[in-house]
Amino acid sequence: MILLMVVLGVDNIDGGARNDQINVSNDADFISLASPETIDGGAGTDTLSFTEDASITVSNTDLHNLKNIEIIEFDGNAAVQNITLDDSFLYKQWINIH
């Protein structure tokens, strides 16, 4: 498994052929950008994990440039962690949300 981190600014992450864990420890680095992050998990079983211990809401537009991610996790200890998706996103992806 390869561990990758999303950091401040627009990231372009390509996970490659292995199982990848892509962690977002500060949701503002991911969701408050003028353009969405580009994350391609590549082959393997890839996980996008939001690990911040704060309330978080991720919308469909925040995930616009997400490809080949099989699992989205909310691993923080916050009381409120939401994800909002629409049909256009679900049609494009096959994802397990934990």
Side-chain angles (χ1 to χ4, degrees):
M1 177 188 295
I2 296 175
L3 177 63
L4 303 165
M5 301 292 293
V6 172
V7 296
L8 183 63
V10 177
D11 297 308
N12 187 352
I13 296 174
D14 185 356
R18 303 179 88 185
N19 297 341
D20 303 308
Q21 173 85 26
I22 301 162
N23 288 343
V24 179
S25 60
N26 182 349
D27 68 301
D29 293 345
F30 187 82
I31 64 174
S32 63
L33 300 170
S35 61
E37 302 283 357
T38 299
I39 298 176
D40 184 348
T45 301
D46 305 302
T47 302
L48 178 63
S49 181
F50 293 91
T51 60
E52 185 171 12
D53 290 336
S55 295
I56 179 174
T57 299
V58 178
S59 72
N60 188 64
T61 56
D62 299 322
L63 302 173
H64 179 73
N65 290 335
L66 190 69
K67 297 190 329 185
N68 299 313
I69 296 293
E70 289 74 33
I71 300 169
I72 296 176
E73 294 179 330
F74 291 89
D75 286 337
N77 291 319
V80 178
Q81 295 179 326
N82 298 308
I83 187 166
T84 303
L85 304 174
D86 67 18
D87 291 345
S88 66
F89 179 80
L90 295 174
Y91 179 75
K92 182 175 97 167
Q93 300 286 335
W94 179 254
I95 291 180
N96 293 313
I97 299 173
H98 300 238

Coordinates of all heavy atoms in Angstrom, one line a residue:
M1 N 0.8 -1.2 0.0 CA 0.0 0.0 0.0 C 0.9 1.2 0.0 O 1.9 1.3 0.7 CB -0.9 0.0 1.2 CG -1.7 1.3 1.3 SD -2.7 1.6 2.8 CE -3.8 0.3 2.7
I2 N 0.5 2.2 -0.7 CA 1.2 3.5 -0.8 C 0.3 4.5 -0.1 O -0.9 4.6 -0.3 CB 1.4 3.9 -2.2 CG1 2.4 2.9 -2.9 CG2 2.0 5.3 -2.3 CD1 2.6 3.2 -4.4
L3 N 0.9 5.3 0.8 CA 0.2 6.4 1.5 C 0.5 7.7 0.9 O 1.6 8.1 0.8 CB 0.6 6.4 3.0 CG 0.0 7.5 3.9 CD1 -1.5 7.3 3.9 CD2 0.6 7.5 5.2
L4 N -0.6 8.5 0.4 CA -0.4 9.8 -0.2 C -1.2 10.8 0.6 O -2.2 10.4 1.2 CB -0.9 9.7 -1.6 CG -0.3 8.7 -2.5 CD1 -1.1 8.5 -3.8 CD2 1.2 9.1 -2.9
M5 N -0.7 12.0 0.7 CA -1.4 13.1 1.5 C -1.8 14.2 0.5 O -1.1 14.6 -0.4 CB -0.5 13.7 2.5 CG 0.0 12.7 3.5 SD -1.2 12.0 4.6 CE -1.6 13.5 5.6
V6 N -3.0 14.7 0.7 CA -3.5 15.9 0.1 C -3.0 17.1 0.9 O -3.2 17.1 2.1 CB -5.0 15.9 -0.1 CG1 -5.5 17.3 -0.6 CG2 -5.5 14.8 -1.0
V7 N -2.4 18.1 0.3 CA -1.8 19.2 1.0 C -2.4 20.5 0.5 O -3.1 20.5 -0.5 CB -0.3 19.3 0.9 CG1 0.3 18.0 1.6 CG2 0.2 19.3 -0.5
L8 N -2.1 21.7 1.1 CA -2.6 23.0 0.7 C -2.3 23.2 -0.8 O -1.2 23.0 -1.3 CB -1.9 24.0 1.6 CG -2.4 25.5 1.3 CD1 -3.9 25.6 1.6 CD2 -1.6 26.4 2.2
G9 N -3.3 23.8 -1.5 CA -3.1 24.0 -2.9 C -3.7 23.0 -3.7 O -4.2 22.0 -3.2
V10 N -3.8 23.1 -5.0 CA -4.4 22.2 -5.9 C -3.4 21.0 -6.1 O -2.3 21.2 -6.6 CB -4.8 22.8 -7.3 CG1 -5.4 21.7 -8.2 CG2 -5.8 23.9 -7.0
D11 N -3.8 19.8 -5.8 CA -3.0 18.6 -6.0 C -3.4 17.8 -7.2 O -4.6 17.8 -7.6 CB -3.1 17.7 -4.7 CG -2.7 18.4 -3.5 OD1 -1.5 18.9 -3.5 OD2 -3.4 18.4 -2.5
N12 N -2.4 17.2 -7.8 CA -2.7 16.3 -8.9 C -2.0 14.9 -8.5 O -0.8 14.8 -8.6 CB -2.1 16.8 -10.2 CG -2.5 15.9 -11.4 OD1 -3.0 14.9 -11.2 ND2 -2.1 16.4 -12.6
I13 N -2.8 14.0 -8.0 CA -2.3 12.8 -7.4 C -2.7 11.6 -8.3 O -3.8 11.5 -8.7 CB -2.9 12.5 -6.0 CG1 -2.5 13.7 -5.0 CG2 -2.5 11.2 -5.5 CD1 -3.1 13.6 -3.7
D14 N -1.7 10.8 -8.7 CA -1.8 9.6 -9.5 C -1.3 8.5 -8.6 O -0.1 8.4 -8.4 CB -1.1 9.8 -10.8 CG -1.3 8.6 -11.7 OD1 -2.0 7.6 -11.3 OD2 -0.8 8.6 -12.8
G15 N -2.2 7.6 -8.2 CA -1.8 6.5 -7.3 C -1.1 5.4 -8.0 O -0.3 4.7 -7.3
G16 N -1.2 5.2 -9.3 CA -0.5 4.1 -9.9 C -1.2 2.8 -9.8 O -2.4 2.7 -9.5
A17 N -0.4 1.7 -9.9 CA -1.0 0.4 -10.0 C -1.2 -0.4 -8.7 O -1.8 -1.4 -8.7 CB 0.0 -0.5 -10.8
R18 N -0.9 0.2 -7.6 CA -1.0 -0.5 -6.3 C -2.3 0.0 -5.5 O -2.9 0.9 -5.9 CB 0.2 -0.2 -5.4 CG 1.5 -0.7 -6.2 CD 2.7 -0.5 -5.4 NE 2.9 -1.6 -4.5 CZ 3.9 -1.7 -3.6 NH1 4.7 -0.7 -3.4 NH2 4.0 -2.8 -2.9
N19 N -2.5 -0.7 -4.4 CA -3.6 -0.2 -3.5 C -3.1 1.0 -2.8 O -2.0 1.0 -2.1 CB -3.9 -1.3 -2.4 CG -4.4 -2.6 -3.1 OD1 -4.9 -2.6 -4.2 ND2 -4.3 -3.7 -2.3
D20 N -3.8 2.1 -2.8 CA -3.4 3.4 -2.3 C -4.3 3.9 -1.2 O -5.5 3.7 -1.3 CB -3.3 4.5 -3.4 CG -2.4 4.0 -4.5 OD1 -1.3 3.7 -4.3 OD2 -2.9 4.1 -5.7
Q21 N -3.8 4.6 -0.2 CA -4.5 5.3 0.8 C -4.2 6.7 0.7 O -3.0 7.2 0.8 CB -4.1 4.8 2.2 CG -4.7 5.6 3.4 CD -6.0 5.0 3.8 OE1 -6.4 3.9 3.5 NE2 -6.8 5.9 4.3
I22 N -5.2 7.6 0.3 CA -5.0 9.0 0.1 C -5.7 9.7 1.2 O -6.9 9.6 1.4 CB -5.5 9.4 -1.3 CG1 -4.8 8.6 -2.4 CG2 -5.4 10.9 -1.5 CD1 -5.5 8.6 -3.7
N23 N -4.9 10.3 2.1 CA -5.5 11.0 3.3 C -5.7 12.5 3.2 O -4.8 13.1 2.6 CB -4.6 10.7 4.5 CG -4.6 9.3 5.0 OD1 -5.5 8.5 4.6 ND2 -3.6 8.9 5.8
V24 N -6.8 12.9 3.6 CA -7.1 14.4 3.7 C -7.2 14.7 5.2 O -8.2 14.4 5.8 CB -8.4 14.7 3.0 CG1 -8.6 16.2 3.1 CG2 -8.3 14.3 1.5
S25 N -6.2 15.3 5.8 CA -6.2 15.6 7.2 C -6.8 17.0 7.5 O -7.1 17.3 8.6 CB -4.8 15.4 7.8 OG -3.9 16.3 7.2
N26 N -6.8 17.8 6.5 CA -7.4 19.2 6.7 C -8.4 19.3 5.5 O -8.0 19.5 4.4 CB -6.4 20.2 6.7 CG -6.9 21.6 6.9 OD1 -8.1 21.8 6.8 ND2 -6.0 22.6 7.1
D27 N -9.7 19.3 5.8 CA -10.7 19.3 4.7 C -10.6 20.6 3.9 O -10.9 20.6 2.7 CB -12.1 19.1 5.2 CG -12.6 20.2 6.0 OD1 -12.0 20.5 7.1 OD2 -13.7 20.8 5.7
A28 N -10.1 21.7 4.5 CA -10.0 23.0 3.7 C -9.0 22.9 2.6 O -9.1 23.6 1.6 CB -9.6 24.1 4.7
D29 N -8.0 22.0 2.8 CA -7.0 21.8 1.7 C -7.7 21.1 0.5 O -7.1 21.1 -0.6 CB -5.9 20.9 2.2 CG -5.0 21.7 3.2 OD1 -5.1 22.9 3.3 OD2 -4.2 21.0 3.9
F30 N -8.8 20.5 0.7 CA -9.5 19.7 -0.3 C -10.7 20.3 -0.9 O -10.9 20.4 -2.1 CB -9.8 18.3 0.3 CG -10.4 17.4 -0.8 CD1 -9.5 16.6 -1.6 CD2 -11.7 17.2 -0.9 CE1 -10.0 15.7 -2.5 CE2 -12.2 16.3 -1.9 CZ -11.4 15.6 -2.7
I31 N -11.6 20.9 0.0 CA -12.9 21.3 -0.5 C -13.0 22.8 -0.8 O -14.0 23.2 -1.4 CB -14.0 20.8 0.4 CG1 -13.9 21.5 1.8 CG2 -14.0 19.3 0.5 CD1 -15.0 21.2 2.7
S32 N -12.1 23.7 -0.3 CA -12.3 25.1 -0.4 C -11.5 25.7 -1.6 O -11.3 26.9 -1.6 CB -12.0 25.8 0.9 OG -10.6 25.6 1.2
L33 N -11.1 24.9 -2.5 CA -10.3 25.4 -3.6 C -11.2 25.9 -4.8 O -12.3 25.5 -4.9 CB -9.4 24.3 -4.1 CG -8.4 23.8 -3.1 CD1 -7.7 22.5 -3.6 CD2 -7.4 24.8 -2.7
A34 N -10.6 26.8 -5.6 CA -11.4 27.3 -6.7 C -11.6 26.2 -7.8 O -12.6 26.2 -8.4 CB -10.6 28.5 -7.4
S35 N -10.7 25.3 -7.9 CA -10.9 24.1 -8.7 C -10.7 22.9 -7.9 O -9.9 22.9 -7.0 CB -10.0 24.2 -9.9 OG -8.6 24.2 -9.5
P36 N -11.4 21.8 -8.3 CA -11.3 20.6 -7.5 C -9.9 19.9 -7.6 O -9.2 20.1 -8.6 CB -12.4 19.7 -8.0 CG -12.8 20.3 -9.3 CD -12.4 21.7 -9.3
E37 N -9.6 19.1 -6.6 CA -8.4 18.3 -6.6 C -8.5 17.3 -7.8 O -9.6 16.9 -8.1 CB -8.2 17.5 -5.3 CG -8.1 18.4 -4.1 CD -6.8 19.0 -3.9 OE1 -5.9 18.8 -4.7 OE2 -6.7 19.8 -2.9
T38 N -7.4 16.9 -8.3 CA -7.4 15.8 -9.3 C -6.7 14.6 -8.7 O -5.5 14.6 -8.3 CB -6.6 16.2 -10.6 OG1 -7.3 17.3 -11.2 CG2 -6.6 15.1 -11.6
I39 N -7.5 13.6 -8.5 CA -7.0 12.3 -7.8 C -7.4 11.2 -8.7 O -8.6 10.9 -8.9 CB -7.6 12.2 -6.4 CG1 -7.1 13.4 -5.5 CG2 -7.1 10.8 -5.8 CD1 -7.7 13.4 -4.1
D40 N -6.4 10.4 -9.1 CA -6.6 9.2 -9.9 C -6.0 8.1 -9.1 O -4.8 8.0 -9.0 CB -6.0 9.3 -11.3 CG -6.3 8.1 -12.2 OD1 -6.8 7.0 -11.6 OD2 -6.1 8.2 -13.4
G41 N -6.8 7.2 -8.5 CA -6.2 6.1 -7.8 C -5.5 5.0 -8.6 O -4.7 4.3 -8.1
G42 N -5.8 5.0 -9.9 CA -5.1 4.0 -10.7 C -5.7 2.6 -10.5 O -6.8 2.5 -9.9
A43 N -4.9 1.6 -10.8 CA -5.3 0.2 -10.5 C -5.3 -0.1 -9.0 O -4.7 0.7 -8.2 CB -4.5 -0.7 -11.3
G44 N -5.8 -1.2 -8.6 CA -5.8 -1.6 -7.2 C -7.1 -1.1 -6.5 O -7.9 -0.5 -7.1
T45 N -7.1 -1.4 -5.2 CA -8.2 -0.9 -4.4 C -7.7 0.4 -3.7 O -6.9 0.3 -2.8 CB -8.7 -1.9 -3.4 OG1 -9.1 -3.1 -4.1 CG2 -9.8 -1.4 -2.6
D46 N -8.3 1.5 -4.0 CA -7.8 2.8 -3.6 C -8.8 3.5 -2.7 O -10.0 3.4 -2.9 CB -7.5 3.7 -4.8 CG -6.5 3.0 -5.7 OD1 -5.4 2.7 -5.3 OD2 -6.9 2.8 -6.9
T47 N -8.3 4.1 -1.6 CA -9.2 4.7 -0.6 C -8.8 6.2 -0.4 O -7.7 6.6 -0.3 CB -8.9 4.0 0.8 OG1 -9.2 2.6 0.7 CG2 -9.8 4.6 1.9
L48 N -9.9 7.0 -0.4 CA -9.8 8.4 -0.1 C -10.4 8.6 1.3 O -11.5 8.3 1.5 CB -10.6 9.3 -1.1 CG -10.6 10.8 -0.8 CD1 -9.2 11.4 -0.9 CD2 -11.5 11.5 -1.8
S49 N -9.5 9.0 2.2 CA -9.9 9.0 3.6 C -9.8 10.5 4.2 O -8.8 11.1 4.2 CB -9.0 8.1 4.4 OG -9.3 8.1 5.8
F50 N -10.9 10.9 4.7 CA -11.0 12.2 5.4 C -10.8 12.0 6.9 O -11.6 11.3 7.5 CB -12.3 12.9 5.2 CG -12.5 13.3 3.7 CD1 -13.1 12.5 2.8 CD2 -12.1 14.6 3.3 CE1 -13.3 12.8 1.5 CE2 -12.2 14.9 2.0 CZ -12.8 14.1 1.1
T51 N -9.6 12.4 7.4 CA -9.2 12.1 8.8 C -9.3 13.2 9.8 O -9.0 13.0 11.0 CB -7.8 11.5 8.8 OG1 -6.9 12.6 8.3 CG2 -7.6 10.3 7.9
E52 N -9.8 14.3 9.4 CA -9.9 15.5 10.3 C -10.9 15.3 11.4 O -12.0 14.8 11.1 CB -10.3 16.7 9.5 CG -10.2 18.0 10.3 CD -10.4 19.2 9.4 OE1 -10.7 19.1 8.3 OE2 -10.1 20.3 10.0
D53 N -10.6 15.7 12.6 CA -11.5 15.6 13.7 C -12.4 16.9 13.8 O -12.3 17.6 14.8 CB -10.7 15.4 15.0 CG -10.1 14.0 15.1 OD1 -10.6 13.1 14.5 OD2 -9.1 13.8 15.8
A54 N -13.1 17.1 12.8 CA -14.0 18.3 12.8 C -15.2 18.0 11.8 O -15.1 17.1 11.0 CB -13.2 19.5 12.2
S55 N -16.2 18.7 12.0 CA -17.4 18.6 11.1 C -16.9 18.8 9.7 O -16.2 19.8 9.4 CB -18.5 19.5 11.5 OG -19.0 19.2 12.8
I56 N -17.4 18.0 8.7 CA -17.0 18.1 7.3 C -18.2 17.8 6.5 O -19.0 16.9 6.7 CB -15.8 17.2 7.0 CG1 -15.4 17.4 5.5 CG2 -16.1 15.8 7.4 CD1 -14.1 16.6 5.2
T57 N -18.3 18.6 5.4 CA -19.3 18.3 4.3 C -18.6 18.3 3.0 O -18.0 19.3 2.7 CB -20.5 19.3 4.4 OG1 -21.1 19.2 5.6 CG2 -21.5 19.0 3.3
V58 N -18.7 17.2 2.3 CA -18.1 17.1 1.0 C -19.2 17.0 0.0 O -20.1 16.2 0.1 CB -17.2 15.8 0.9 CG1 -16.6 15.7 -0.5 CG2 -16.1 15.9 1.9
S59 N -19.1 17.8 -1.1 CA -20.2 17.8 -2.1 C -19.7 17.2 -3.4 O -18.5 16.9 -3.6 CB -20.6 19.3 -2.4 OG -19.7 20.0 -3.1
N60 N -20.7 17.0 -4.2 CA -20.4 16.4 -5.5 C -19.3 17.2 -6.3 O -18.4 16.6 -6.9 CB -21.7 16.3 -6.3 CG -21.6 15.6 -7.6 OD1 -21.3 14.4 -7.6 ND2 -21.8 16.3 -8.7
T61 N -19.4 18.5 -6.3 CA -18.4 19.3 -7.0 C -17.0 19.2 -6.5 O -16.0 19.3 -7.2 CB -18.8 20.8 -7.1 OG1 -19.0 21.2 -5.7 CG2 -20.1 21.0 -7.8
D62 N -16.8 18.9 -5.2 CA -15.5 18.7 -4.6 C -14.9 17.4 -5.1 O -13.6 17.3 -5.1 CB -15.6 18.6 -3.1 CG -16.2 19.8 -2.4 OD1 -15.8 20.9 -2.9 OD2 -16.9 19.7 -1.5
L63 N -15.7 16.5 -5.6 CA -15.2 15.2 -6.1 C -15.2 15.1 -7.6 O -15.0 14.0 -8.1 CB -16.0 14.1 -5.5 CG -16.1 14.0 -3.9 CD1 -17.1 13.0 -3.5 CD2 -14.7 13.8 -3.4
H64 N -15.4 16.2 -8.3 CA -15.5 16.2 -9.7 C -14.3 15.5 -10.5 O -14.5 14.8 -11.4 CB -15.7 17.6 -10.2 CG -15.8 17.7 -11.7 ND1 -16.9 17.3 -12.4 CD2 -14.9 18.1 -12.7 CE1 -16.8 17.5 -13.7 NE2 -15.6 18.0 -13.9
N65 N -13.1 15.7 -10.0 CA -11.9 15.2 -10.7 C -11.4 13.9 -10.0 O -10.2 13.7 -10.0 CB -10.8 16.2 -10.8 CG -11.2 17.3 -11.8 OD1 -12.0 17.1 -12.7 ND2 -10.6 18.5 -11.6
L66 N -12.3 13.1 -9.4 CA -11.9 11.9 -8.7 C -12.1 10.7 -9.6 O -13.2 10.6 -10.2 CB -12.8 11.8 -7.5 CG -12.5 10.7 -6.5 CD1 -11.2 11.1 -5.7 CD2 -13.6 10.6 -5.5
K67 N -11.1 9.9 -9.8 CA -11.2 8.7 -10.7 C -10.6 7.5 -9.9 O -9.6 7.7 -9.2 CB -10.5 8.9 -12.0 CG -11.0 9.9 -12.9 CD -10.4 10.0 -14.3 CE -9.0 9.5 -14.4 NZ -8.5 9.7 -15.8
N68 N -11.1 6.3 -10.2 CA -10.5 5.1 -9.7 C -10.3 5.0 -8.2 O -9.3 4.5 -7.8 CB -9.2 4.8 -10.5 CG -9.4 4.7 -12.0 OD1 -10.3 4.0 -12.4 ND2 -8.6 5.4 -12.8
I69 N -11.2 5.6 -7.5 CA -11.2 5.5 -6.0 C -12.4 4.6 -5.7 O -13.5 4.9 -6.0 CB -11.4 6.9 -5.4 CG1 -10.2 7.8 -5.7 CG2 -11.6 6.8 -3.9 CD1 -8.9 7.4 -5.0
E70 N -12.1 3.5 -5.0 CA -13.1 2.5 -4.7 C -13.8 2.7 -3.3 O -14.9 2.3 -3.1 CB -12.6 1.1 -4.8 CG -12.2 0.6 -6.2 CD -11.0 1.3 -6.8 OE1 -10.0 1.6 -6.1 OE2 -11.0 1.5 -8.0
I71 N -13.1 3.4 -2.4 CA -13.6 3.6 -1.1 C -13.4 5.0 -0.6 O -12.3 5.6 -0.8 CB -12.9 2.6 -0.1 CG1 -13.0 1.2 -0.5 CG2 -13.4 2.9 1.4 CD1 -12.2 0.2 0.3
I72 N -14.4 5.6 -0.1 CA -14.3 6.9 0.6 C -14.6 6.7 2.1 O -15.7 6.2 2.4 CB -15.3 8.0 0.0 CG1 -15.0 8.2 -1.5 CG2 -15.3 9.3 0.8 CD1 -15.9 9.2 -2.2
E73 N -13.7 7.1 2.9 CA -13.9 6.9 4.4 C -13.9 8.3 5.1 O -13.2 9.2 4.7 CB -12.7 6.2 5.0 CG -12.5 4.8 4.5 CD -11.3 4.1 5.2 OE1 -10.3 4.8 5.4 OE2 -11.4 2.9 5.3
F74 N -14.7 8.3 6.1 CA -14.6 9.5 7.1 C -14.1 8.9 8.4 O -14.9 8.3 9.1 CB -16.0 10.1 7.2 CG -16.5 10.8 6.0 CD1 -17.2 10.1 5.0 CD2 -16.2 12.1 5.8 CE1 -17.6 10.8 3.8 CE2 -16.6 12.8 4.6 CZ -17.3 12.1 3.7
D75 N -12.8 9.1 8.7 CA -12.2 8.5 9.8 C -12.0 9.4 11.0 O -11.4 9.1 12.0 CB -10.8 7.9 9.5 CG -11.0 6.6 8.7 OD1 -12.0 6.0 8.8 OD2 -10.0 6.3 7.9
G76 N -12.4 10.7 10.9 CA -12.3 11.6 12.0 C -13.3 11.3 13.1 O -14.2 10.5 12.9
N77 N -13.1 12.0 14.2 CA -14.0 11.8 15.4 C -15.0 12.9 15.5 O -15.4 13.2 16.6 CB -13.1 11.7 16.6 CG -12.2 10.5 16.6 OD1 -12.7 9.4 16.2 ND2 -11.0 10.6 17.0
A78 N -15.4 13.5 14.4 CA -16.4 14.6 14.5 C -17.8 14.0 14.6 O -18.1 12.9 14.1 CB -16.3 15.5 13.3
A79 N -18.7 14.8 15.1 CA -20.1 14.3 15.2 C -20.8 14.4 13.9 O -21.8 13.6 13.6 CB -20.9 15.2 16.2
V80 N -20.4 15.3 13.0 CA -21.1 15.5 11.7 C -20.0 15.3 10.6 O -19.1 16.1 10.5 CB -21.7 16.9 11.6 CG1 -22.3 17.1 10.3 CG2 -22.7 17.1 12.7
Q81 N -20.3 14.3 9.7 CA -19.5 14.1 8.5 C -20.5 13.7 7.4 O -21.1 12.7 7.5 CB -18.4 13.1 8.8 CG -17.4 13.5 9.8 CD -16.4 12.5 10.1 OE1 -16.6 11.3 10.0 NE2 -15.2 12.9 10.4
N82 N -20.6 14.6 6.4 CA -21.6 14.4 5.4 C -20.9 14.3 4.0 O -19.9 15.0 3.8 CB -22.6 15.6 5.4 CG -23.4 15.7 6.6 OD1 -23.9 14.7 7.1 ND2 -23.4 16.9 7.2
I83 N -21.6 13.6 3.1 CA -21.2 13.6 1.7 C -22.5 13.7 0.9 O -23.5 13.1 1.2 CB -20.4 12.3 1.4 CG1 -19.8 12.5 -0.1 CG2 -21.2 11.1 1.6 CD1 -18.8 11.4 -0.4
T84 N -22.4 14.6 -0.1 CA -23.6 14.8 -0.9 C -23.2 14.5 -2.4 O -22.2 15.1 -2.9 CB -24.1 16.3 -0.9 OG1 -24.3 16.6 0.5 CG2 -25.3 16.5 -1.7
L85 N -23.9 13.6 -3.0 CA -23.6 13.1 -4.3 C -24.8 13.2 -5.2 O -25.9 13.1 -4.7 CB -23.1 11.7 -4.3 CG -21.8 11.4 -3.4 CD1 -21.5 9.9 -3.4 CD2 -20.6 12.2 -3.9
D86 N -24.7 13.4 -6.5 CA -25.8 13.3 -7.4 C -25.6 12.2 -8.4 O -24.6 11.5 -8.4 CB -26.1 14.6 -8.0 CG -25.0 15.1 -9.0 OD1 -24.2 14.3 -9.4 OD2 -25.0 16.3 -9.3
D87 N -26.6 12.0 -9.2 CA -26.6 10.9 -10.2 C -25.4 10.9 -11.1 O -24.8 9.9 -11.5 CB -27.8 10.9 -11.0 CG -29.1 10.5 -10.2 OD1 -28.9 10.0 -9.1 OD2 -30.2 10.7 -10.7
S88 N -24.9 12.1 -11.5 CA -23.8 12.2 -12.4 C -22.5 11.7 -11.8 O -21.8 11.0 -12.5 CB -23.6 13.7 -12.9 OG -23.2 14.5 -11.8
F89 N -22.4 11.9 -10.5 CA -21.2 11.3 -9.9 C -21.3 9.8 -9.7 O -20.4 9.1 -10.0 CB -20.9 12.0 -8.5 CG -19.7 11.4 -7.8 CD1 -18.5 11.8 -8.1 CD2 -19.9 10.4 -6.8 CE1 -17.4 11.3 -7.5 CE2 -18.8 9.9 -6.2 CZ -17.5 10.3 -6.5
L90 N -22.5 9.4 -9.3 CA -22.7 7.9 -9.0 C -22.6 7.1 -10.3 O -22.2 6.0 -10.3 CB -24.0 7.7 -8.3 CG -24.0 8.3 -6.9 CD1 -25.4 8.1 -6.3 CD2 -23.0 7.7 -6.0
Y91 N -23.0 7.7 -11.4 CA -23.0 7.0 -12.7 C -21.5 6.8 -13.1 O -21.2 5.8 -13.7 CB -23.7 7.9 -13.8 CG -23.6 7.3 -15.1 CD1 -24.4 6.2 -15.5 CD2 -22.8 7.8 -16.1 CE1 -24.4 5.6 -16.7 CE2 -22.8 7.3 -17.4 CZ -23.6 6.2 -17.7 OH -23.5 5.6 -18.9
K92 N -20.6 7.8 -12.8 CA -19.2 7.8 -13.2 C -18.4 6.8 -12.3 O -17.3 6.4 -12.8 CB -18.7 9.2 -13.1 CG -17.3 9.4 -13.6 CD -17.0 10.9 -13.6 CE -16.3 11.3 -12.3 NZ -15.7 12.6 -12.4
Q93 N -18.8 6.6 -11.1 CA -17.9 5.9 -10.1 C -18.6 4.7 -9.6 O -19.8 4.6 -9.6 CB -17.6 6.9 -8.9 CG -16.9 8.1 -9.3 CD -15.5 7.9 -9.6 OE1 -14.8 6.9 -9.1 NE2 -14.9 8.8 -10.4
W94 N -17.8 3.8 -9.0 CA -18.3 2.7 -8.2 C -17.5 2.8 -6.9 O -16.4 2.5 -6.8 CB -18.1 1.4 -8.9 CG -18.6 0.2 -8.0 CD1 -17.8 -0.6 -7.3 CD2 -19.9 -0.1 -7.7 NE1 -18.6 -1.5 -6.6 CE2 -19.9 -1.2 -6.9 CE3 -21.2 0.4 -8.1 CZ2 -21.0 -1.8 -6.4 CZ3 -22.3 -0.2 -7.6 CH2 -22.2 -1.3 -6.8
I95 N -18.2 3.3 -5.9 CA -17.5 3.6 -4.6 C -18.3 3.0 -3.4 O -19.5 3.1 -3.4 CB -17.4 5.1 -4.5 CG1 -16.5 5.7 -5.5 CG2 -17.0 5.5 -3.1 CD1 -16.3 7.2 -5.5
N96 N -17.5 2.6 -2.4 CA -18.1 2.2 -1.1 C -17.8 3.4 -0.2 O -16.7 3.9 -0.2 CB -17.4 1.0 -0.5 CG -17.7 -0.2 -1.3 OD1 -18.9 -0.5 -1.6 ND2 -16.7 -1.0 -1.7
I97 N -18.8 3.8 0.5 CA -18.7 5.0 1.4 C -18.8 4.4 2.9 O -19.8 3.8 3.2 CB -19.7 6.1 1.2 CG1 -19.5 6.6 -0.3 CG2 -19.6 7.2 2.2 CD1 -20.5 7.6 -0.7
H98 N -17.8 4.7 3.7 CA -17.8 4.2 5.1 C -17.9 5.4 6.0 O -17.3 6.4 5.9 CB -16.5 3.5 5.4 CG -16.2 2.3 4.5 ND1 -16.0 1.1 5.0 CD2 -16.1 2.2 3.2 CE1 -15.8 0.2 4.0 NE2 -15.9 0.9 2.9

